[in-house]
Amino acid sequence: MEAPEGPVGPEAGGATVPAARKPAGSRAGSFERGLAAAHQYLAREGHLRVPRGHVEHLVLEDAVACDGQEQPETVAVKLGVWRSNMRSRRDRLTPEQQAALDELGL
């Protein structure tokens, strides 16, 4: 995964967070979106104590030009649910996914 050139997401707090891609129907795509949303939340809030009902609006890396201005497209990620699922299903994740969660601090 390529590193973004600058902060991604609203109020990224100067930290670089991975950019998300268009929603994919696969489990791997869902994991990547959740991971990107967790990075965005961590950069903004400084912690990952995410309330279960929290929805993170993740900015996609593909911005849509509208009237000469770029309008970033977002996707809603149920980050609180994702985090809870990752904790309870950790033993069923791939080693790469487990390493990504370890790196994030989950």
Side-chain angles (χ1 to χ4, degrees), residues 63-71:
V64 177
C66 181
D67 295 333
Q69 297 180 2
E70 287 190 359
Q71 297 293 325

Side-chain angles (χ1 to χ4, degrees), residues 25-48:
S26 71
R27 289 183 190 200
S30 177
F31 179 82
E32 287 180 9
R33 282 191 310 278
L35 192 62
H39 277 283
Q40 180 175 290
Y41 184 90
L42 179 62
R44 185 181 65 247
E45 301 293 329
H47 62 81
L48 283 172

Side-chain angles (χ1 to χ4, degrees), residues 8-64:
V8 176
E11 306 165 16
T16 302
V17 295
R21 292 183 176 81
K22 287 269 189 193
S26 71
R27 289 183 190 200
S30 177
F31 179 82
E32 287 180 9
R33 282 191 310 278
L35 192 62
H39 277 283
Q40 180 175 290
Y41 184 90
L42 179 62
R44 185 181 65 247
E45 301 293 329
H47 62 81
L48 283 172
R49 294 181 302 275
V50 183
R52 182 153 168 78
H54 179 74
V55 176
E56 187 73 11
H57 296 281
L58 187 61
V59 177
L60 299 175
E61 63 185 15
D62 301 332
V64 177

